[in-house]
Structure formats: C-alpha cells, structure tokens
Amino acid sequence: MAQNTVEKTPVTLLGLGAMGTAMARTWLAAGHPLTVWNRTPARATELAAGGATVSDTASEAVAANTLVVVCLLDDTSVDKVLAGTDLANKDLVNLTTSTPALARARAEWARERGARYLDGGIMAVPPMIGVPEAGGYVFYSGSPELFERHQRTLGVPVGTTYVGEDAGFAALHDVALLSAMYGMFAGSAHAFALIRKEGIDPAALAPLLADWLVAMAPAVHRTADQLRSGDYTKSVVSNLAMQVAGTPTFLSTAEQQGVSPELLSPYFELMRRRLAEGSGEEDLTGVIDLLVR
C-alpha cells in the first residue's frame, strides 16, 4: 500500500537571530523535525512551544541531525560555536555572511573534520522568509551532491540558487549584488539631495526615480555581453566621449544646489581616465577594467 506521507528531513539550526528564527518557523510549519541552539536560550522559547527541540549546547544540537544549518553573526562566531563539535559525516550548510576567501577556508576546515559543506549567501531580509512571492532566495555553492540532496529542505524557508562547486561563489555573488545595490542607493541619495532645498516633494520624485532605475536596469545585460565579447563598442547607446562631456553639468548642478559631489566624482574620474586611454566610441564598460587592475 502506497504511503501518503513524505518523511521530512530533520534539521539542526545554530543561531536564532532574526533570520535564523524566521527560517526556524518555516521549517516547523512545514513539518520538519527541528533542533535549535542559541547562545541566548530565551530566544528559543517560542520555537520550543511550536515543537522544536532546544539543545543546551551546540555540540548536542549538531549530534542530533545530519543536516546542520549555521546562521550566526560572523565567521568568528562560527569558529567559537563549532569548536569541539563532532562534524564527522555531517552535512554542514553555512548561511553566515562571509567573504569568498573565508568561505573557501571554511569549506576546507569542514572537509578536514569529515563534514560535507555548502556555503550560502542570503538574498533576503527576515520578513521575506516563508513568503515565496516576496522573491527572496539564497545563493549556494560547494558540493553539488549535497545541494541536490537537500535542495527541497533548504528551499522551504526561501528559494535556492546554486552557483557552482567553488565554495566561495555564493559569497561572491552575494557581495556583488549587494555592492550594486549600494551603488543604486548612493545615486538615489544624490538625487534626493539635489531637491532637498527646493519645493519638490520627495514623495513625488520617488516613483519617477524608481521607474527610471527600472528602465535603466537592462543595461547590465549589454555590459555583460560586451565583457564576454571583449568589444566595448558593441550596441553602444551613449558613448563614453559623449557621457564624459556631460559630466560638468552634473557637477555644476550639485554645486549650485549646495550638494557635495562625493558620491558621483569617483565614477566620473574613472570615466575620464578611461577616455584618456581608450576609445571615445566605447560604452562605460571599460571602467570595469580600471577597477580590476
């Protein structure tokens, strides 16, 4: 007789900050047996009431299940929490924010201790966890077999995107996207600063700004195509020479509005440097080569 239930993978979760707690709730709601540990035990009270097993020590929690998910403050915290734990034959998934180099070192550290390893970069904030329509996901890198084995379980709290066997790739993708985000925030901050002393409602500018950023976003595909082909003049819409010629207007406007140009000036300087040593018919893609020297 066919079974009507599917056995849910047990999960051990170390770390119950805002993100860890949100993930814990979704695993519990989906019926996964859950063992948790946190340095501050009081944070586990609600989860215990919901059916989670609360361990007194990290070692005890790790021993409880094969799949061990770590969601702590930083890499140093991972060292402290996992010190002395037996990781032999464990499937260790590290969702702690890290750098590519630290992730690669952690993967080797785990291998030396007999564990299989996946690194993760979370592209979501806690309110997005357990809400598929919010669009959040986690980058994963490391053992492809391990990712395939646990993809369904890892995908319960938030979506999953595997980016390669190199354990550092999840962190690299994470920081790359977040770096672009901060660049967008910087441009938005400058835009709002320009109107700050004028009779323009920021709430009226906001939808115009958001729509403009969305309209410009597809340019990243052109940049990627130019980088792949090596032809920076391919499909150019506004060439480098024309854009450099326009930069004084932006700087003069900032000065007239009493706004510091410090968020724009570094990029404009790179544009001028590229023009001095490259082709004015290029796109802005050549600036990337200046950054990686």
Side-chain angles (χ1 to χ4, degrees), residues 3 17 56 59 65 100 106 130 135 148 150 156 186 209 211 237 253 289:
Q3 284 187 297
D56 292 329
S59 293
N65 299 305
R106 183 62 63 190
E148 183 177 355
H150 294 299
V156 168
L209 181 56
D211 288 348
V237 177
T253 300
D289 290 342

Side-chain angles (χ1 to χ4, degrees), residues 209-221:
L209 181 56
D211 288 348
W212 178 247
L213 293 174
V214 169
M216 292 297 100
V220 300
H221 299 293

